């Protein structure tokens, strides 16, 4: 038996002890069994079974042992010499087929990971129908299913002032944060960042699916994502998944980095003015989306333990080009005019400006939308049972 990368000879029959060798060809993906010092009593039926995941393949070969005549081989030896290579080729072909099928399945699961999460959640809750309001733009359901599904997991996220760096200035509703010019006289509690200009969300996530959006506008630098409640708040912080950070950063222009270890750099076709963040705690998924062009940006996968919290960092002013705030969208896909904070009144003595959403710019409330009820097909449940998000 060959398992977990090595030979398992504990259960080898006594008469075969020291007489069998598993020869592995990593390049070809094949394993060959050699029986040394062949004897008459070795002849008989041998069963070979290959198991990869939930798929298995087995076959049987008959071994006949006879004394060869002088200068020639017996027909049994010739037959064995032919059968064994054919069997090896069959095993290799089966493994290749299994590998191709698995790759195809993983690709399909990755493309539809959001839809899978959505339907799994609905099935777990044993809901018989899904209600979508007319105002949620049902035409996007077919065109952009990922973001539409994620909107069903939208949560109200606010900023925690107890964690804010002393230079950060928050709006009254604790949904808007920007970097000021000087440190504010705030208590130096253990929860507060004192070096990196960061702040955490007030919410703690220990289970379930959650989605929120952050308006970044024309900012040239920002960092967004999720971090562990236990991350270090004092001194210089090295952000990485190993240290409890799953963050996305705009470094300059159209250059972005996922703060993996080492960092993953890339460019986007269209710079996002609004970034969507999706967390599935049980599946171990943190995904980032460009809400501007409705595209996927990057996904972290990890096995989470302990509470997670939203992470925000408006970054330094970048020569005066990065003074705009980060704004948590209270309603998903709102018009830009109702999201961008407007200055109200004159600046303070320290040069800081109080920012607040101008409610007069919000569109008037219309009549309450009616509900559309979409029923899940009755044959969908069995097809989705046991389906899990793949790891990459």
């Amino acid at each position: 038996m060959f398992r977990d990368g090595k030979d398992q000879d504990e259960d080898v029959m006594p008469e075969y002890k020291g007489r069998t060798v598993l020869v592995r060809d990593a390049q070809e993906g094949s394993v060959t069994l050699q029986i040394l010092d062949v004897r008459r009593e070795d002849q008989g039926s041998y069963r070979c079974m290959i198991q990869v995941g939930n798929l298995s393949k087995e076959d049987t070969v008959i071994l006949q042992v006879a004394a060869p005549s002088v200068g020639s081989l017996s027909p049994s030896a010739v037959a064995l010499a032919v059968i064994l290579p054919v069997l090896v080729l069959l095993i290799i072909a089966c493994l290749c087929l299994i590998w191709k099928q698995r790759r195809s399945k993983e690709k399909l699961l990755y493309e539809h990971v959001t839809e899978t999460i959505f339907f799994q959640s609905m099935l777990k809750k044993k809901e018989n129908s899904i209600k979508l309001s007319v105002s949620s733009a049902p035409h996007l359901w077919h065109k952009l299913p990922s973001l539409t599904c994620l909107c069903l997991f939208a949560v109200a996220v606010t900023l925690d002032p107890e964690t804010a760096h002393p230079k950060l200035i928050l709006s009254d509703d604790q949904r808007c944060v920007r970097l000021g010019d000087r440190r504010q006289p705030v208590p130096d509690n253990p929860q507060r960042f004192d070096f990196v200009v960061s702040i955490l969300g007030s919410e703690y996530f220990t289970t379930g699916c959650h989605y929120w959006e952050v308006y970044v506008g024309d900012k040239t630098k920002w960092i967004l994502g999720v971090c562990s409640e236990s991350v270090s708040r004092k001194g210089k912080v090295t952000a990485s998944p190993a240290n409890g950070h799953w963050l996305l950063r705009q470094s300059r222009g159209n250059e972005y980095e996922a703060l993996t270890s080492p960092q993953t750099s890339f460019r986007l076709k269209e710079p996002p003015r609004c970034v969507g963040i999706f967390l599935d705690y049980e599946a171990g998924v943190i995904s980032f989306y460009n809400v501007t062009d409705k595209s996927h940006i990057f996904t972290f996968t990890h096995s989470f333990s302990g509470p997670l919290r939203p992470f925000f960092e408006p970054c330094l002013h970048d020569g005066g080009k990065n003074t705009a705030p980060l704004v948590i969208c209270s309603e998903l896909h709102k018009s830009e005019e109702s999201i961008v904070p407007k200055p109200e009144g004159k600046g303070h003595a320290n040069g800081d400006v109080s920012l607040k959403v101008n409610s007069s710019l919000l569109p008037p409330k219309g009549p309450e939308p009616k509900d559309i009820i979409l029923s899940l097909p009755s044959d969908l449940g069995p097809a989705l049972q046991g389906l899990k998000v793949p790891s990459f």
Side-chain angles (χ1 to χ4, degrees), residues 28-300:
E28 293 293 334
S30 64
V31 179
T32 303
L33 171 65
Q34 291 186 353
I35 302 178
L36 308 177
D37 189 20
V38 179
R39 309 164 187 171
R40 284 272 190 173
E41 54 267 30
D42 291 338
Q43 67 182 6
S45 175
Y46 289 78
R47 183 168 64 95
C48 173
M49 183 179 72
I50 302 296
Q51 183 170 352
V52 179
N54 295 326
L55 302 177
S56 63
K57 181 71 176 180
E58 65 179 79
D59 205 346
T60 302
V61 61
I62 305 299
L63 173 61
Q64 295 180 351
V65 180
S69 60
V70 179
S72 64
L73 294 177
S74 67
S76 301
V78 175
L80 183 62
V82 174
I83 292 174
L84 285 179
V86 172
L87 181 59
V88 171
L89 291 176
L90 177 62
I91 293 174
I92 294 174
C94 291
L95 291 176
C96 290
L97 179 61
I98 292 171
W99 180 81
K100 288 182 179 180
Q101 290 177 341
R102 184 172 182 179
R103 290 284 295 177
S104 176
K105 184 178 180 180
E106 286 182 351
K107 182 179 179 180
L108 181 63
L109 285 173
Y110 180 76
E111 292 174 351
H112 299 283
V113 60
T114 306
E115 291 85 346
T116 301
I117 295 170
F118 164 70
F119 285 115
Q120 280 184 320
S121 176
M122 296 301 104
L123 291 172
K124 287 178 183 178
K125 296 177 182 179
K126 297 181 180 179
E127 295 179 350
N128 295 322
S129 62
I130 307 162
K131 294 185 177 180
L132 298 174
S133 69
V134 175
S135 61
S136 66
H139 63 281
L140 293 177
W141 179 269
H142 300 286
K143 186 178 180 182
L144 304 166
S146 297
L147 280 179
T148 304
C149 291
L150 294 181
C151 290
L152 296 175
F153 300 106
V155 292
V157 172
T158 56
L159 300 168
D160 182 2
E162 298 298 319
T163 65
H165 184 279
K167 276 194 173 183
L168 293 181
I169 300 176
L170 279 63
S171 62
D172 293 339
D173 61 0
Q174 297 181 349
R175 293 182 180 274
C176 175
V177 59
R178 66 181 182 86
L179 180 64
D181 295 329
R182 62 183 65 180
R183 299 174 73 94
Q184 302 176 84
V186 293
D188 185 17
N189 57 58
Q191 295 79 29
R192 189 180 304 281
F193 291 97
D194 65 356
F195 186 84
V196 292
V197 289
S198 307
I199 184 173
L200 301 183
S202 300
E203 289 68 32
Y204 294 74
F205 302 130
T206 57
T207 185
C209 300
H210 313 276
Y211 176 74
W212 63 96
E213 294 178 353
V214 182
Y215 181 79
V216 298
D218 295 320
K219 288 182 67 64
T220 58
K221 293 183 178 181
W222 46 261
I223 303 177
L224 295 171
V226 177
C227 73
S228 173
E229 161 62 17
S230 60
V231 295
S232 174
R233 317 287 175 86
K234 305 301 180 182
K236 188 174 181 179
V237 178
T238 301
S240 69
N243 293 334
H245 305 83
W246 297 272
L247 307 178
L248 183 71
R249 172 171 66 190
Q250 181 183 14
S251 54
R252 66 177 72 88
N254 192 31
E255 296 181 10
Y256 300 84
E257 295 172 335
L259 300 188
T260 52
S261 182
Q263 297 171 355
T264 303
S265 301
F266 51 88
R267 290 176 174 268
L268 299 178
K269 293 182 179 179
E270 182 175 353
R273 297 177 63 83
C274 186
V275 178
I277 304 165
F278 174 68
L279 163 66
D280 186 333
Y281 194 98
E282 284 80 9
V285 171
I286 297 176
S287 294
F288 296 83
Y289 293 84
N290 182 346
V291 181
T292 303
D293 65 1
K294 313 299 190 298
S295 63
H296 171 263
I297 299 177
F298 190 84
T299 291
F300 289 92

Side-chain angles (χ1 to χ4, degrees), residues 333-375:
H333 308 311
K334 287 181 65 173
S335 63
E336 184 172 317
E337 290 79 4
S338 61
I339 295 176
V340 179
K342 304 295 181 181
E344 183 178 271
K346 298 181 179 180
H348 299 289
N350 62 359
D352 297 337
V353 179
S354 175
L355 300 178
K356 189 176 181 181
V357 175
N358 190 340
S359 59
S360 64
L361 296 179
L362 296 175
K365 274 193 172 180
E368 290 295 325
K370 296 182 179 179
D371 288 341
I372 298 176
I373 299 180
L374 302 178
S375 297

